[in-house]
Amino acid sequence: MIKNWQFIEAKNIQESLGKLPADGKHQLEPLSSISKDKSVPYNILEDHNFLDGQPEVHRHEGDLWGGIEGEIKFIVGGEMVEPYAKEGNDMEIKAKKIQNGTEVILKAGDVLFIPAGVPHAHTAVHGRAFIIKIPEREIVYLDEIPGWKGKL
């Protein structure tokens, strides 16, 4: 639940996007500071020389991505290879790779929706995108995740 309303002027977003990129995957200000308590389901992410994105599946939320600049390569769908849940968090399943997924290149102005339960991974030489987390009404069961064979 969002606890407090938030307003960020466009000039603050543009100032953030005007800065030179930094290596890795990270959230950009001013949104990262207000989303630390996880009550804001929106963020701007920057991926710069982020070439080792780990495949994942969210059981409780979908991801709505919108391209801002550059390109971000996604692998979406397919089947998780050797999936696992981190101890204490079975809402996000990780894997070594995705097989038989579809490659999608997200560019400025493009939108990509990845529902809960769908395997996905992303990498980028340089890309910036916004992401909105969309809660699911019902949690995806583990046995519905493509490739899941294990137990917690």
Side-chain angles (χ1 to χ4, degrees):
M1 168 186 279
I2 296 175
K3 299 174 184 147
N4 297 307
W5 64 272
Q6 300 287 336
F7 174 74
I8 300 170
E9 292 183 76
K11 68 179 183 180
N12 296 87
I13 299 294
Q14 292 306 319
E15 180 182 318
S16 182
L17 293 174
K19 295 179 181 174
L20 292 175
D23 283 351
K25 174 184 174 183
H26 54 273
Q27 299 172 353
L28 294 178
E29 290 294 348
L31 295 173
S32 67
S33 61
I34 65 171
S35 67
K36 289 191 187 322
D37 66 359
K38 303 290 185 194
S39 68
V40 178
Y42 173 88
N43 241 309
I44 295 177
L45 297 180
E46 177 177 69
D47 292 349
H48 187 70
N49 292 327
F50 179 69
L51 304 175
D52 60 351
Q54 187 175 25
E56 61 186 9
V57 168
H58 308 292
R59 295 180 55 212
H60 62 303
E61 62 190 6
D63 289 344
L64 179 65
W65 291 87
I68 296 172
E69 69 179 39
E71 295 183 355
I72 300 176
K73 180 174 92 172
F74 285 83
I75 302 298
V76 182
E79 185 172 304
M80 304 282 274
V81 175
E82 297 182 38
Y84 63 93
K86 289 187 176 182
E87 188 174 332
N89 181 11
D90 67 353
M91 290 295 119
E92 190 168 280
I93 305 302
K94 304 286 188 177
K96 291 192 181 269
K97 67 179 185 174
I98 296 173
Q99 65 185 15
N100 301 318
T102 301
E103 182 178 299
V104 175
I105 304 296
L106 186 75
K107 299 177 185 174
D110 293 342
V111 173
L112 171 63
F113 176 63
I114 305 170
V118 174
H120 60 282
H122 71 278
T123 59
V125 172
H126 176 72
R128 288 177 171 166
F130 67 81
I131 181 171
I132 299 172
K133 298 291 192 173
I134 302 175
E136 284 290 324
R137 290 190 176 126
E138 295 182 24
I139 293 173
V140 174
Y141 291 105
L142 284 169
D143 61 359
E144 295 178 75
I145 295 172
W148 183 262
K149 296 175 179 85
K151 296 180 181 178
L152 292 177

